Amino acid sequence: MSLLELNDLKVHFPVKKGILFDRTVGHVYAVDGVSLSVEAGQTYGLVGESGCGKTTLGRAVLRLVDITSGSAVFDGTDLAALPEEEMRRSRRRLQMVFQDPLGSLNPRQNIESILCEGMEAHGIGADRAERRERVLRILEKVGLPDGALSRYPHEFSGGQRQRIGIARALVLEPDIIICDEPVSALDVSIQAQVINLLEELQESMGLTYLVIAHDLAVVRHISDIIGVMYLGALVEEAPSDVLYAEPRHPYTRALMSAVPVPDPEVEDSRERILLFGDLPSPASPPPGCRFHTRCPWKQPTRCDTERPLLTDMGDGHKVACHYAAEIAAGALQPSAASVPSRNDRPAGAGQGTPPGETEDTRPEESAPAAS
């Protein structure tokens, strides 16, 4: 059995309206039917553009937001069905590293107080001396000096604060750590240090990670399995190398084409898929396939009426697309408007404004957030 298994997990937030009496007039479908599994010792990367529900999914696993339906089975126990007190005790084995390292740390507490707080809540350590000794061991693992204990969060750099966030998770000796955009707020050089630290800790402590990010390079570097989310649903899942070598869902192909290549000749000649229009509102998702309103391969049948299931196409490569096999075989081609030709762009300007157009006359377009 997998260490963590999500089955048709849904998180819907009610939309209230009224002055004297609130009434529910709709729902925001933040997470709508996600199923995935994470094996012990594995790193599962979850990617997608802003607003697709990645962070809400991570918070739902920890029950920081209420689960509307479905199950989140951790080591044989359905977290969605646990009473509050049992769930609180279970959080010792489930920890989270938050996106904003400063915002997640209490500015009124020094580092020793922050790191000992969780241990006191879970009854770890016989006394303050034992807890302090444990904290010092963890600080050494994350590369911070002993003198950091008496200092406050504002006295550290962004990278050091993120190390403190990692240390706070590690002191409880969890089985799985959910990393919500762990390096997006950091400089590139500091990002590499934090990613390398996470990998070293995984090897030495046998940790399991669920990494939530929009940076495809980071996810590729650290993940064993990658899942791609769009508008609250999982649209593709595959081993890291397989996904990057052969993306099969139209949205994943667009994501990959948005990643710049550090070679002017390759960048100018490769296929670039542009997505037109804005991300639909999760409060009113389109019927059928969630991506059909922006899909370059949209077909007149099934796409706007039937929601595709996440189907295994072999070797653990799962895709939620009615026409994934035809697209992979080249039997279906994207619409001409979504794939600009090389003659439409100035030489060496992979994403520049086409000749004869200005920024004001270009058609509205949007590309997935990726770097």
Side-chain angles (χ1 to χ4, degrees):
M1 177 182 284
S2 303
L3 181 62
L4 177 66
E5 189 170 344
L6 309 184
N7 298 303
D8 197 29
L9 190 74
K10 297 181 181 180
V11 179
H12 299 167
F13 297 106
V15 178
K16 302 287 188 178
K17 186 176 181 181
I19 298 175
L20 296 178
F21 302 99
D22 282 344
R23 69 182 194 278
T24 301
V25 296
H27 289 85
V28 175
Y29 301 92
V31 178
D32 198 29
V34 171
S35 298
L36 58 86
S37 60
V38 185
E39 304 295 331
Q42 190 180 70
T43 299
Y44 190 105
L46 201 59
V47 299
E49 57 193 310
S50 297
C52 71
K54 307 184 300 295
T55 294
T56 302
L57 178 65
R59 289 174 176 268
V61 172
L62 284 165
R63 291 265 303 273
L64 299 180
V65 295
D66 292 334
I67 297 174
T68 303
S69 66
S71 63
V73 180
F74 173 66
D75 199 17
T77 302
D78 185 4
L79 301 176
L82 286 181
E84 280 296 327
E85 182 57 29
E86 289 186 36
M87 185 62 219
R88 189 189 71 81
R89 290 196 297 266
S90 296
R91 289 197 183 103
R92 175 181 175 177
R93 301 179 61 196
L94 288 155
Q95 286 295 297
M96 192 166 191
V97 176
F98 295 91
Q99 178 176 357
D100 181 5
L102 182 59
S104 66
L105 301 174
N106 190 334
R108 297 172 183 242
Q109 290 181 282
N110 62 26
I111 304 309
E112 182 176 5
S113 175
I114 289 173
L115 298 184
C116 288
E117 187 175 29
M119 290 191 289
E120 292 173 2
H122 290 280
I124 301 173
D127 51 31
R128 180 176 177 181
E130 185 176 332
R131 287 192 288 268
R132 184 183 178 90
E133 183 180 347
R134 188 187 186 109
V135 165
L136 289 173
R137 288 200 304 268
I138 294 298
L139 282 183
E140 184 180 359
K141 284 182 179 294
V142 300
L144 289 174
D146 296 353
L149 290 179
S150 60
R151 295 162 62 188
Y152 289 81
H154 71 272
E155 300 179 63
F156 296 90
S157 66
Q160 289 174 322
R161 285 194 288 262
Q162 196 61 291
R163 288 170 184 265
I164 294 167
I166 295 170
R168 179 175 57 182
L170 291 177
V171 292
L172 299 181
E173 296 184 349
D175 293 313
I176 184 168
I177 297 179
I178 299 172
C179 302
D180 182 16
E181 303 272 10
V183 297
S184 63
L186 307 177
D187 294 336
V188 175
S189 59
I190 306 301
Q191 286 183 9
Q193 294 175 17
V194 173
I195 290 298
N196 290 336
L197 172 64
L198 290 173
E199 289 185 320
E200 291 169 6
L201 292 170
Q202 185 175 40
E203 292 178 6
S204 63
M205 303 179 69
L207 296 171
T208 302
Y209 293 137
L210 174 60
V211 179
I212 298 167
H214 65 267
D215 190 325
L216 295 173
V218 168
V219 173
R220 181 179 188 180
H221 178 75
I222 197 174
S223 301
D224 301 306
I225 303 292
I226 295 177
V228 182
M229 281 190 71
Y230 181 82
L231 206 62
L234 201 64
V235 297
E236 187 164 4
E237 180 186 89
S240 177
D241 293 339
V242 174
L243 187 77
Y244 278 80
E246 191 181 1
R248 293 193 173 183
H249 193 279
Y251 176 63
T252 312
R253 293 164 78 101
L255 272 180
M256 297 302 179
S257 77
V259 179
V261 176
D263 184 328
E265 293 184 2
V266 174
E267 175 67 23
D268 192 47
S269 61
R270 72 191 182 106
E271 180 184 62
R272 177 78 169 91
I273 301 172
L274 299 178
L275 300 181
F276 291 83
D278 295 324
L279 183 73
S281 170
S284 181
C289 174
R290 297 289 173 87
F291 188 58
H292 83 264
T293 58
R294 304 169 73 195
C295 181
W297 284 272
K298 178 189 174 184
Q299 299 299 303
T301 57
R302 299 185 72 188
C303 288
D304 57 357
T305 58
E306 183 181 344
R307 186 173 178 181
L309 300 176
L310 195 66
T311 305
D312 195 335
M313 301 185 70
D315 298 326
H317 198 153
K318 301 177 182 179
V319 185
C321 177
H322 297 304
Y323 300 97
E326 291 84 349
I327 293 172
L332 293 179
Q333 298 298 322
S335 60
S338 65
V339 184
S341 67
R342 277 176 285 175
N343 294 330
D344 290 336
R345 297 178 293 175
Q351 300 178 23
T353 305
E357 293 185 2
T358 67
E359 292 292 340
D360 294 330
T361 60
R362 290 175 67 184
E364 182 183 358
E365 62 187 43
S366 63
S371 53

